[in-house]
Amino acid sequence: MKVVKLVVFVVFILLNFICIPSFVKAATMEELPPYITVKGVDTSKYEIAKTISDEKVIIDIIEKDGDLYYSWSFDKDKIGSEIDLNFELNFESPKKQEIDALAENPDKTYLSFTHHGNLPSEATINVYVGNKYSNGEKLYLYYYNEEKNTIEYVDKGLEVKDGYVTFKINHCSDYFLTGAVVNNAESKTKNMNTIIGMLAVIVIGLVGATLFFKR
């Protein structure tokens, strides 16, 4: 009888020190990939909520005395096993003077990301703008190219819904939202037309040179 009790006791100890901890760790969302490291957000002002579904990874930044302030969303299958990123977003740009010199209209909401550079994958940003724009308003998104000192068109027709506007980016820097068109803004389409034009000139030049030397 004593031997049986001893065996039961040993099995109980093994279950507590081996099986149970393993189960708890596997069942904890924070221990499952993708692993998310949120940097830059002032946790004295904001709560950080992380949601991982079968398709999406969402990081919500929520004011402690208010509602959702802004959020990031990534496709889960495109980010790999880890996101280690500065998620801070400021609404005052250190490049305000340079941006205002290129885009004079006062109707601007600055979006200055602390992280500068490419993202692990395309991100969907959802940001509160209800303090400045009404529901149903359509906004333009522009990017300030610091290296070229130019404003570049990114997107249009971004509708304000329930005080929020949503857009996609794959690179972080300084952007701004506005209800007005920035006439001197460059765009990918304009850049592509320039490249096509240059290629056409080169082709015409090569054809002309070929015909000349055949004479």
Side-chain angles (χ1 to χ4, degrees), residues 37-41 70 72 74 82-95 111-123 125 143-144 146 167 169-175:
T37 302
V38 178
K39 297 177 179 176
V41 178
Y70 61 91
W72 299 65
F74 299 89
E82 182 179 9
I83 300 178
D84 186 345
L85 197 66
N86 192 315
F87 286 91
E88 185 181 35
L89 171 59
N90 293 298
F91 296 87
E92 293 182 2
S93 174
K95 301 297 178 182
L111 304 168
S112 182
F113 294 90
T114 301
H115 171 73
H116 275 220
N118 293 329
L119 292 167
S121 74
E122 184 179 65
I125 309 296
Y143 157 67
Y144 173 61
E146 194 172 337
F167 55 89
I169 58 172
N170 53 30
H171 176 275
C172 281
S173 186
D174 281 75
Y175 293 79

Side-chain angles (χ1 to χ4, degrees), residues 57-113:
V57 174
I58 302 171
I59 298 92
D60 291 325
I61 312 300
I62 306 162
E63 288 183 306
K64 286 194 172 182
D65 57 350
D67 298 318
L68 174 69
Y69 201 36
Y70 61 91
S71 70
W72 299 65
S73 175
F74 299 89
D75 289 340
K76 185 179 177 183
D77 60 350
K78 294 181 180 180
I79 61 172
S81 61
E82 182 179 9
I83 300 178
D84 186 345
L85 197 66
N86 192 315
F87 286 91
E88 185 181 35
L89 171 59
N90 293 298
F91 296 87
E92 293 182 2
S93 174
K95 301 297 178 182
K96 181 182 184 301
Q97 186 173 349
E98 292 87 340
I99 292 171
D100 288 350
L102 296 167
E104 296 179 355
N105 60 300
D107 170 32
K108 288 192 286 291
T109 296
Y110 302 97
L111 304 168
S112 182
F113 294 90

